[in-house]
């Protein structure tokens, strides 16, 4: 029995190691593909450290936030909500005292869950724009891009009293027209450094594992609070990253004392 138990443990460790290697490889390929897309469009990106360094010499981070030039900061971000599990996620974030950034979809999400959007803002989270209906902005004409972003801007402002200053383009796809319209609307473009590809699995352990494998200082974690496996993965993600010495911040806090400039593209 002991021999069989030992053999089983070896197989489990091998499977976990194999899954970890595949996760890291997939993340590297995804990052490379995104970098090529941005390069092909001629888009320059700014890192959080560069944003902080560009601030005036006498500028200081907000008193309620960590100084990410010194602290080991990381930003949790959630796309495409609110969804049915978002209130449960907000309960967890409140309990753990973790701020997050929510990139919201207007149609069928912001309009359907106004109380949840209001709660996000009231509890200190950053409420941001993920377009109206998740159309790829780089495939649209300027007027269509403007409509996708403006409708969500207006819907969020009506609920929270404040227009977002950040947007995240669906699939991270941008071009010169997207940048110009974003600048016009006062929106900085926020990409990411970590993705669990939680749209492709309901395995919460795998989502947590992928996230933790890719996490790093000044990182921006991309998750979706609309998928069944994601919110259950968040407790492990938060617990482990806290053990590793990370401080959770919103995206604006990650850039502070710099600020997100309209039209600029930010990516760790």
């Amino acid at each position: 029995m002991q021999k069989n138990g030992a053999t089983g443990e070896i197989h489990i460790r091998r499977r976990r190691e194999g899954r970890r290697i595949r996760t890291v490889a997939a993340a590297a390929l995804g990052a490379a593909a995104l970098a090529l897309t941005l390069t092909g469009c001629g888009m320059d990106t700014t890192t959080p450290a560069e944003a902080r360094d560009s601030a005036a010499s006498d500028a200081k981070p907000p008193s309620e936030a960590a100084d990410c030039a010194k602290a080991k900061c990381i930003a949790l971000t959630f796309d495409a909500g609110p969804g049915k599990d978002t209130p449960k996620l907000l309960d967890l974030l409140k309990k753990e005292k973790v701020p997050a950034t929510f990139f919201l979809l207007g149609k069928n999400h912001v309009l359907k869950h106004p109380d949840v959007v209001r709660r996000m803002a009231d509890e200190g989270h950053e409420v941001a724009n993920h377009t109206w209906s998740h159309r790829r902005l780089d495939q649209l004409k300027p007027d269509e891009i403007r409509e996708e972003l403006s409708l969500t801007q207006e819907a969020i402002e009506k609920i929270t009293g404040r227009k977002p200053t950040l947007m995240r383009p669906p699939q991270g796809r941008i071009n010169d027209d997207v940048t110009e319209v974003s600048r016009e609307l006062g929106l900085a473009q926020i990409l990411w450094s970590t993705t669990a590809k939680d749209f492709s699995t309901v395995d919460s352990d795998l989502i947590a594992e992928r996230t933790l494998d890719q996490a790093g200082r000044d990182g921006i974690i991309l998750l979706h609070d609309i998928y069944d496996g994601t919110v259950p993965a968040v407790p492990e993600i938060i617990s482990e990253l806290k053990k590793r010495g990370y401080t959770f911040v919103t995206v604006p806090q990650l850039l502070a004392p710099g600020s997100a400039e309209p039209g600029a593209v930010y990516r760790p």
Side-chain angles (χ1 to χ4, degrees):
M1 293 295 290
Q2 288 181 346
K3 183 177 180 180
N4 290 339
T7 301
E9 295 220 356
I10 289 171
H11 287 319
I12 291 170
R13 286 198 298 271
R14 285 176 176 171
R15 285 199 301 270
R16 286 177 177 170
E17 179 63 16
R19 189 167 66 178
R20 188 191 69 79
I21 291 170
R22 290 193 298 273
T23 297
V24 172
L29 287 172
L34 180 55
L36 286 173
T37 298
L38 293 172
T39 301
C41 294
M43 296 290 107
D44 293 326
T45 63
T46 301
T47 67
E50 290 169 339
R52 294 193 296 265
D53 291 344
S54 69
S57 58
D58 59 347
K60 297 180 180 180
S63 58
E64 73 277 6
D67 183 352
C68 292
K70 300 175 181 177
K72 190 177 174 183
C73 292
I74 198 164
L76 266 180
T77 72
F78 297 91
D79 282 13
K84 62 180 177 60
D85 293 331
T86 306
K88 190 182 303 181
L89 173 61
L90 290 172
D91 290 343
L92 171 66
L93 297 175
K94 185 175 183 179
K95 176 184 175 184
E96 296 292 337
K97 298 181 180 179
V98 168
T101 302
F102 288 89
F103 292 91
L104 306 183
L105 281 176
K107 186 179 181 181
N108 298 327
H109 293 271
V110 169
L111 295 185
K112 187 176 180 180
H113 303 284
D115 291 343
V116 178
V117 176
R118 190 175 298 109
R119 180 183 170 188
M120 289 173 181
D122 289 346
E123 294 184 359
H125 302 292
E126 187 72 17
V127 181
N129 191 327
H130 194 44
T131 74
W132 186 249
S133 59
H134 209 262
R135 298 174 71 190
R136 266 186 55 174
L137 299 181
D138 63 322
Q139 296 179 339
L140 304 181
K141 296 176 180 179
D143 284 347
E144 294 173 312
I145 298 169
R146 189 174 295 106
E147 180 177 49
E148 278 287 315
L149 294 172
S150 294
L151 287 174
T152 302
Q153 289 287 90
E154 293 164 5
I156 290 174
E157 183 183 27
K158 185 175 180 180
I159 295 168
T160 68
R162 178 175 174 267
K163 282 186 178 181
T165 59
L166 310 178
M167 65 83 85
R168 174 167 284 156
Q171 300 182 28
R173 305 284 185 164
I174 56 178
N175 59 19
D176 289 338
D177 287 338
V178 177
T179 293
E180 185 55 38
V181 173
S182 296
R183 183 180 296 113
E184 172 194 321
L185 296 177
L187 290 165
Q189 303 174 87
I190 309 299
L191 302 180
W192 58 89
S193 57
T194 297
T195 173
K197 295 188 177 180
D198 51 351
F199 53 83
S200 66
T201 180
V202 295
D203 186 338
S204 298
D205 290 339
L206 179 58
I207 291 168
E209 181 180 339
R210 287 173 173 174
T211 301
L212 295 169
D213 281 346
Q214 299 171 57
R217 184 172 184 171
D218 278 355
I220 298 177
I221 296 171
L222 166 61
L223 294 167
H224 299 78
D225 47 326
I226 59 170
Y227 297 125
D228 289 344
T230 301
V231 172
V234 174
E236 182 181 350
I237 292 169
I238 291 175
S239 175
E240 179 59 29
L241 290 178
K242 282 185 174 181
K243 289 178 184 176
R244 296 182 189 179
Y246 284 96
T247 297
F248 289 95
V249 293
T250 64
V251 170
Q253 290 169 344
L254 187 65
L255 307 181
S259 58
E261 297 295 329
V265 184
Y266 294 89
R267 181 187 179 211

